[in-house]
Amino acid sequence: MPASTTLSTAELRRPIVAAAALSEFARGGFHGTTIADVAREARISPAYVFKLFPGKEALFVAALEACFDEVIAALSSGADAASDQSPTGILDAMADAYAELIGDRRLLSIQVHAQSITHIPEVGAGLREGLARVTSFAKERSNGSNADVQRFMAYGQLCHLIVTAGVEGETQPWAEILTHGIRHP
Amino acid sequence: MPASTTLSTAELRRPIVAAAALSEFARGGFHGTTIADVAREARISPAYVFKLFPGKEALFVAALEACFDEVIAALSSGADAASDQSPTGILDAMADAYAELIGDRRLLSIQVHAQSITHIPEVGAGLREGLARVTSFAKERSNGSNADVQRFMAYGQLCHLIVTAGVEGETQPWAEILTHGIRHP
DNA sequence: TTGATGAGTGATTGATCACTCACTCTTGGA
DNA sequence: TCCAAGAGTGAGTGATCAATCACTCATCAA
């Protein structure tokens, strides 16, 4: 068992490529990102990407799953760190953690891109799966009412819109209405 | 002035092509839709599209503007028809009208697609412009508080997510949390 | 009648990209 | 030492598509 330069197996490399795909798809979207982009980011050849994933769509779904893994982890540690452990206190802490998390836009962007290609069945299924995980986790961890959890999700979506549209750069009244009380990411 | 077969001028044809672009971009997104698709829908040649619009991006922006025209019109007539003319009564009526409007998915889809390509400056600007129109209209027409209008927008975004992800087909508890009280489009 | 202007198109081009295939290199067990 | 199995790649290929260009045809003012 030579400790120094063990070749990474395909099994070990797959999640690395998925992470690279997350970054690249977040930047360019599904159609705007090439397999070559992902391969370059992952430091492998384009051809090898197809040995690790059956096609571009499966690669996108893997990236989306990696995104929701990170989201759940951030919500979890945010909830743990909440000073007020009441349901709404926990949901507020989760919202803060989420706003912090999407500061780099990667996790936000790929969700928006996924929304725009849900006509690909695997992507739609992957998005629903992620939503199920987030919603269920928020409900169970906070023990809040259904209405509280729904509001948490709705304002999360508003936050997505504010960031993707760049509303934060605006100073008019309409922008103030949308952004008021939203932690600026 | 021959009344029978006056040739449509470029000026008159542009909005027709924009409407065709709205339908096509809504179906395939920016990268997934070709100029040939739009041309076919508008019954003109691909080459002529480039005589009417300087490029694909300008065509998308025109389609997005047409989308917000329709949205404002629907909100307006929804508000007029509200039985309860209090601020929240008007906002509720607008929400109903909006849910009704996006039943055909075209107006919803192009907004989601626009969100995914806001890195194109003209698209980002067009989206902010549309948001400004919708938010300002909701505020002025309803005379509701800023918080009421913000909630109206947030739940609108949740509605977008529910429809694009196909949450309505799900019956699990997490789906019930998200969709409860949302008028099914 | 003429000629200028604008409507509208067919054919093409240059670039891009998902995906394939035949191939080489590396590793570790017998 | 040898070899089987898997890691990893270079060089394509066929298809697609935005954008261009040289054209034809219709209209109408003078």
Side-chain angles (χ1 to χ4, degrees):
Chain A
M1 196 191 287
S4 54
T5 53
T6 312
L7 259 196
S8 44
T9 69
E11 225 51 53
L12 289 175
R13 201 177 278 270
R14 232 181 295 266
I16 295 174
V17 177
L22 171 51
S23 292
E24 292 300 306
F25 280 130
R27 279 172 30 87
F30 182 75
H31 292 287
T33 300
T34 70
I35 295 293
D37 291 334
V38 175
R40 194 179 314 113
E41 177 77 10
R43 315 266 187 178
I44 60 177
S45 69
Y48 193 39
V49 174
F50 289 98
K51 292 253 169 99
L52 296 175
F53 295 90
K56 194 182 183 184
E57 297 178 1
L59 182 58
F60 186 91
V61 172
L64 188 59
E65 281 172 8
C67 160
F68 282 113
D69 288 344
E70 286 194 50
V71 169
I72 294 285
L75 294 183
S76 180
S77 64
D80 291 346
S83 54
D84 172 6
Q85 285 284 327
S86 72
T88 55
I90 290 176
L91 285 172
D92 283 351
M94 282 183 179
D96 283 343
Y98 188 66
E100 175 90 10
L101 181 74
I102 65 179
D104 73 348
R105 294 217 187 190
R106 270 167 56 251
L107 304 179
L108 162 70
S109 289
I110 198 167
Q111 288 181 61
V112 174
H113 288 306
Q115 267 195 78
S116 77
I117 52 167
T118 48
H119 57 268
I120 301 173
E122 293 82 1
V123 174
L127 183 57
R128 282 191 295 278
E129 163 77 18
L131 278 180
R133 287 172 66 193
V134 171
T135 309
S136 302
F137 180 81
K139 170 72 179 178
E140 284 155 22
R141 182 66 181 78
S142 74
N143 201 29
S145 70
N146 282 5
D148 286 339
V149 175
Q150 189 188 42
R151 183 176 342 108
F152 168 76
M153 296 295 291
Y155 279 80
Q157 288 307 114
L158 178 62
C159 184
H160 282 193
L161 178 65
I162 288 167
V163 174
T164 56
V167 179
E168 306 224 289
E170 303 280 338
T171 56
Q172 286 99 326
W174 68 269
E176 166 65 20
I177 290 173
L178 288 184
T179 58
H180 185 261
I182 307 279
R183 296 110 192 126
H184 40 286
Chain B
M1 194 190 287
S4 54
T5 54
T6 312
L7 263 195
S8 44
T9 70
E11 227 49 54
L12 289 175
R13 201 178 278 272
R14 232 182 294 268
I16 296 174
V17 176
L22 171 51
S23 292
E24 291 301 305
F25 280 131
R27 278 170 33 84
F30 183 74
H31 292 288
T33 300
T34 70
I35 296 291
D37 291 333
V38 176
R40 195 178 313 113
E41 178 76 10
R43 316 266 187 177
I44 60 175
S45 70
Y48 192 38
V49 174
F50 287 98
K51 292 251 168 102
L52 296 175
F53 295 91
K56 193 181 183 184
E57 298 177 0
L59 182 58
F60 186 91
V61 172
L64 188 59
E65 282 172 7
C67 160
F68 281 115
D69 288 344
E70 286 195 49
V71 168
I72 294 286
L75 295 183
S76 180
S77 65
D80 291 345
S83 54
D84 172 7
Q85 285 283 328
S86 71
T88 54
I90 290 175
L91 285 172
D92 282 352
M94 283 183 179
D96 283 342
Y98 188 67
E100 175 90 10
L101 182 73
I102 65 180
D104 74 350
R105 293 221 187 188
R106 270 167 56 250
L107 303 178
L108 161 70
S109 290
I110 198 167
Q111 288 181 61
V112 174
H113 288 306
Q115 266 195 80
S116 77
I117 53 167
T118 49
H119 58 268
I120 301 174
E122 293 82 0
V123 174
L127 183 57
R128 283 190 296 278
E129 163 78 19
L131 278 179
R133 288 171 66 192
V134 172
T135 309
S136 302
F137 180 81
K139 170 73 180 178
E140 285 154 22
R141 183 65 181 78
S142 75
N143 201 29
S145 71
N146 282 4
D148 286 339
V149 175
Q150 189 188 43
R151 185 178 337 108
F152 167 75
M153 296 295 290
Y155 280 80
Q157 289 305 114
L158 179 62
C159 185
H160 283 193
L161 178 65
I162 288 167
V163 174
T164 56
V167 179
E168 305 223 289
E170 301 281 337
T171 56
Q172 286 100 326
W174 69 268
E176 166 64 20
I177 290 173
L178 290 184
T179 58
H180 185 260
I182 307 279
R183 297 110 191 127
H184 41 285

